Amino acid sequence: AQSVAQPEDQVNVAEGNPLTVKCTYSVSGNPYLFWYVQYPNRGLQFLLKYITGDNLVKGSYGFEAEFNKSQTSFHLKKPSALVSDSALYFCAVRVHNAGNMLTFGGGTRLMVKP
Amino acid sequence: NAGVTQTPKFQVLKTGQSMTLQCAQDMNHEYMSWYRQDPGMGLRLIHYSVGAGITDQGEVPNGYNVSRSTTEDFPLRLLSAAPSQTSVYFCASSYKGHGGREQYFGPGTRLTVT
């Protein structure tokens, strides 16, 4: 069975500094990996995905993620954080043999301080 | 397009009551799913559907029923509510594909069972 781990419950960063939100995964076969963001009292919004190809994936709002097969990681990054990036971030992997359904990590709360 | 809509936004039930959470999408997506979100546990898949008339169980299906009579609608039924079903419920939809299609999420239903 597949699984996703987000080792940090919360990440604090100052505005303008680079940010990293960590994610590791466990799947059999090739992973399909996703990042979603959730703002307060809202549903999840898609940020970016890795299916195949270049290990550095660029997504919405200036976010990017680096796929590392040897370390089974898919960390989310942004060169310069904004206060408006403060939200709950989820890493997810596609469930095997269940369409496009996902297994999610526990989520990481990102707090960007002015 | 309205995207994915869910009703109601909030609901309080007493133990043993039944109810139906509604979900509809107007994007002609083949795949639909229900997740529940609990603190620190991310989102967990309850049931999903890959097309009208086809449903299957996810990770946490006990206590819930679904049906998919049309492409647009995918209601979730709680048969006999229990306090353990207190959660935020999200409906999602996506196009059919090779597994790399992102999901679109509704705004959620916050359910409290007393």
Side-chain angles (χ1 to χ4, degrees), chain B residues 29 46 114:
Chain B
H29 286 169
I46 305 172
T114 61

Side-chain angles (χ1 to χ4, degrees), chain A residues 44-96:
Chain A
L44 277 68
Q45 297 176 31
F46 169 77
L47 272 181
L48 52 78
K49 65 183 176 184
Y50 172 83
I51 306 301
T52 186
D54 194 348
N55 289 346
L56 185 64
V57 178
K58 293 189 184 299
S60 307
Y61 313 120
F63 284 93
E64 57 190 28
E66 186 167 12
F67 171 66
N68 187 317
K69 188 172 183 177
S70 63
Q71 297 187 3
T72 61
S73 67
F74 189 55
H75 300 331
L76 182 69
K77 300 181 180 185
K78 188 174 182 182
S80 178
L82 299 172
V83 172
S84 57
D85 292 330
S86 299
L88 190 54
Y89 289 81
F90 291 98
C91 183
V93 65
R94 187 189 66 146
V95 176
H96 185 60

Side-chain angles (χ1 to χ4, degrees), chain A residues 32-36 46 48-49 74 90-92 102, chain B residues 99-101:
Chain A
Y32 288 9
L33 296 159
F34 300 80
W35 276 101
Y36 285 81
F46 169 77
L48 52 78
K49 65 183 176 184
F74 189 55
F90 291 98
C91 183
L102 300 170
Chain B
R101 299 297 189 113

